[in-house]
Amino acid sequence: MYALFALPLLYIVLFKYVPMFGNVIAFKQFTISKGFFGSPWVGFGQFERFFNSYEFWRLLRNTLSISFYMLIAGFPFPILLAVGLHYARSERFKKTVQMVTYAPYFISLVVLVGLLLQFLDPRTGVVNQILGLFGVEPINFMAEASLFQSIYVWSHIWQNVGFSCIIFLAALSGIDPSLHEAAVIDGASKARRIWHIDIPGIMPIAIIMLILNTGSVMETGFEKILLMQNSLNLRTSEVIDTYVYKVGLVSQALNFSYATAIGLFKAVIGFILLVVVNASAKKLGQESLW
Amino acid sequence: MNQRVIKESKGDRLFNIVNAILLTLALIAVAYPLIYVFSASFSSTSAVLSGRVWLWPVEPSLDGYEAIFQNGNVVRGFLNTVMYTALGTLLNVALTIMAAYPLSRRDFRGRAGFMLLFVFTMMFNGGLIPNYLLVKELNMLDTIWAMIVPTALSVWNVIIMRTYFQTTIPYEMLEAAQLDGCNDFRFLTRIVLPLSGPILAVIALFYAVGHWNQYFNAMIYLKNPDLYPLQLILRDILVQNEVSVDMLGDVKTAAARQGLRELLKYSLIVVTSLPLLIVYPFVQKFFVKGVMIGSVKG
């Protein structure tokens, strides 16, 4: 059994823990030629440079606002959909809605962003054509910095609502049916039963999901943002992750240490958030992760 | 107890109607874009460009698909993706079993410690640059290994599979097998795995979707265009709008070229997404179970 376990263990150590320790270069002035051990230490120099840079506040603000926008806007929809499906009268209708709503989950980010660009195109896009019927001038959506975050968040909801609702659907079917029977006999309406039985019933799961999502608040959908970014919406679309990517892997003067320091800063904030949210959930007497 | 004994109140009937309407709206909101793309891909260039496509294909044609299959990059990307998905998923599933099975065994010493070691990586990871430097140090840049090895195992899937083993394979079964002189490896391959069909299917699909849709690793680890997966080529065409003239065959006028360019995008979206959309209904029924099991704490 240990022989079986050796390979996965090796993988975890090599590909998960080695990069974690690789973060040490955030405290160094790393250059490829000098290598990991040969590069000189600079302490918190990289971090100071980042905090003092004019990019800092903009990146932090964009990262946090996209994440919290997503957290708040995305939270109710899977629950609403799950409750709606749970009370759907026709089994076939329910199955159809379910199957269709989670189809987009399987679409790749590249295709999703491609779809967005096609639909929102100022000349040929179907959205502008519909708006045109109401006499609205074509809008160049992707060039409007003020619209970027909304497009990002709502397309994310479109893609994921069906899949995220599975877990709530399962929780709903796990609720003790005798509660509902009793409520029906007492003359409770469906709306009342949802409010007093179903919602409290799925609350623990909802809280856990919220904690998990908060933990990844700093992990904004970096790959998707990168795809959606263009020079016109950069003002609101540049987040810490995309900046790390640019500084570390694409810019003219690659700066591995600086990029690593920024990435580490982000990871630490995310970790602190997770711990804080979990602790407060515990204090409120709700479920917690640990 | 038959609920019909109590007649539905007016409020409840209203509730049903509102609910049905809302669900229908959700259905339309999700389905319409998908139907539109599908129809557009089968329409003529002029119909797409002039916005005459609303729901069904207008002036059906296969021009877009023809342009795709004449394009060497797309075909090569497609084949590369199939290869990465097949090899990668095989490795993923094998490693996941190798990690999940021992972790599911009560008599596996050091289990709690290993579990912690695995789970910790879900909350804290090394970050982009250290990962890149590692792949670079391992000399995997610009090889197919870069597409397969760094994503060889997902801890989340290990937990799902481990929990499945724990809840469906009774410990007594192992004891009985051991009494009969069955070793661990034999027990795993002859008894555990044949009993785990549904979870293997779900896990394999999760991994396969990941590989199929992967573009970011390819973008940072690969420089040789011969190794590009489909998604990366797709990105150039869909997002960065880099459609080279030779892709469009012998189209003469600028207007026709522009039309074919748009049509090609719709056809590409369909070709890329269809394989997964066809597979998933077959595995769908296992999903709820799989997701539920994985989300059980501990």
Side-chain angles (χ1 to χ4, degrees), chain B:
Chain B
M1 271 252 236
N2 191 345
Q3 291 201 358
R4 276 165 212 272
V5 176
I6 295 169
K7 220 178 150 224
E8 288 204 320
S9 69
K10 235 184 204 157
D12 280 358
R13 261 176 291 158
L14 184 69
F15 173 88
N16 286 335
I17 295 169
V18 173
N19 191 25
I21 292 174
L22 289 180
L23 285 180
T24 310
L25 284 179
L27 184 69
I28 294 172
V30 175
Y32 181 70
L34 302 176
I35 295 173
Y36 179 86
V37 169
F38 192 74
S39 299
S41 75
F42 284 104
S43 299
S44 72
T45 50
S46 66
V48 171
L49 217 53
S50 58
R52 277 182 288 134
V53 178
W54 289 106
L55 193 58
W56 302 119
V58 176
E59 298 166 12
S61 89
L62 291 171
D63 293 350
Y65 292 93
E66 236 171 74
I68 291 179
F69 290 109
Q70 283 168 1
N71 181 264
N73 285 339
V74 173
V75 174
R76 197 173 50 223
F78 196 88
L79 294 177
N80 281 338
T81 294
V82 170
M83 179 177 71
Y84 297 144
T85 304
L87 286 179
T89 307
L90 209 67
L91 179 69
N92 287 147
V93 173
L95 276 181
T96 307
I97 295 169
M98 288 160 80
Y101 178 65
L103 286 173
S104 76
R105 285 270 296 262
R106 261 190 271 167
D107 57 343
F108 183 62
R109 254 191 274 158
R111 186 170 78 146
F114 286 128
M115 204 58 212
L116 195 68
L117 197 72
F118 274 55
V119 171
F120 184 69
T121 65
M122 291 170 80
M123 284 184 270
F124 209 77
N125 64 58
L128 180 65
I129 307 298
N131 273 310
Y132 174 81
L133 290 175
L134 175 68
V135 172
K136 189 178 157 77
E137 285 303 307
L138 293 171
N139 283 323
M140 285 185 186
L141 285 187
D142 243 351
T143 66
I144 61 170
W145 303 113
M147 291 300 291
I148 294 171
V149 177
T151 52
L153 189 68
S154 139
V155 174
W156 182 249
N157 288 344
V158 170
I159 294 177
I160 293 180
M161 198 180 274
R162 182 205 64 149
T163 314
Y164 184 91
F165 287 156
Q166 271 173 355
T167 49
T168 55
I169 316 280
Y171 194 69
E172 290 71 28
M173 207 139 110
L174 172 70
E175 284 172 339
Q178 277 172 338
L179 279 180
D180 290 341
C182 178
N183 66 28
D184 284 334
F185 185 71
R186 226 177 128 80
F187 182 71
L188 174 64
T189 52
R190 291 296 167 82
I191 296 177
V192 175
L193 293 184
L195 286 173
S196 308
I199 198 70
L200 290 176
V202 171
I203 297 284
L205 182 74
F206 278 162
Y207 279 126
V209 171
H211 283 291
W212 189 270
N213 289 340
Q214 177 65 260
Y215 85 94
F216 186 72
N217 282 353
M219 184 170 87
I220 59 177
Y221 296 143
L222 300 180
K223 292 222 159 52
N224 179 0
D226 288 340
L227 294 175
Y228 280 2
L230 185 59
Q231 300 289 342
L232 208 54
I233 289 159
L234 215 58
R235 183 194 61 138
D236 292 345
I237 297 174
L238 283 179
V239 180
Q240 304 189 328
N241 215 1
E242 284 165 11
V243 188
S244 59
V245 179
D246 59 300
M247 269 190 81
L248 304 174
D250 47 69
V251 183
K252 294 288 184 293
T253 66
R257 207 176 284 152
Q258 169 65 19
L260 192 54
R261 181 184 295 205
E262 294 306 311
L263 187 62
L264 180 87
K265 291 179 184 173
Y266 289 114
S267 309
L268 261 178
I269 290 174
V270 173
V271 168
T272 315
S273 309
L274 214 53
L276 290 180
L277 293 180
I278 289 173
V279 174
Y280 104 87
F282 295 104
V283 195
Q284 187 201 15
K285 59 180 176 208
F286 303 127
F287 266 4
V288 176
K289 218 172 165 185
V291 172
M292 238 0 236
I293 285 172
S295 63
V296 175
K297 268 208 285 184

Side-chain angles (χ1 to χ4, degrees), chain A residues 131-154:
Chain A
L131 289 179
L133 295 179
F134 298 100
V136 181
E137 289 290 305
I139 303 168
N140 192 355
F141 289 95
M142 298 310 286
E144 291 286 340
S146 59
L147 291 175
F148 177 86
Q149 302 195 348
S150 293
I151 297 173
Y152 172 81
V153 168
W154 291 101

Side-chain angles (χ1 to χ4, degrees), chain A residues 2 11 14 17 19-20 23 84 89 99 102 106 108 115 118-119 129 158 190 194 222-223 227 245 288, chain B residues 8 12 16 19 29-30 36-37 109 117 124 126 131 134 149-150 213 215 219 231 239 262 265 280 284:
Chain A
Y2 287 93
Y11 168 80
L14 183 59
Y17 284 95
M20 262 185 234
N23 273 313
R89 307 246 299 169
M99 201 149 125
Y102 66 73
F106 292 92
S108 75
L115 280 177
Q118 289 302 99
F119 284 129
Q129 281 169 14
W158 178 82
K190 282 191 177 172
I194 291 174
F222 153 60
E223 300 187 9
L227 286 169
Y245 168 70
S288 66
Chain B
E8 288 204 320
D12 280 358
N16 286 335
N19 191 25
V30 175
Y36 179 86
V37 169
R109 254 191 274 158
L117 197 72
F124 209 77
N131 273 310
L134 175 68
V149 177
N213 289 340
Y215 85 94
M219 184 170 87
Q231 300 289 342
V239 180
E262 294 306 311
K265 291 179 184 173
Y280 104 87
Q284 187 201 15

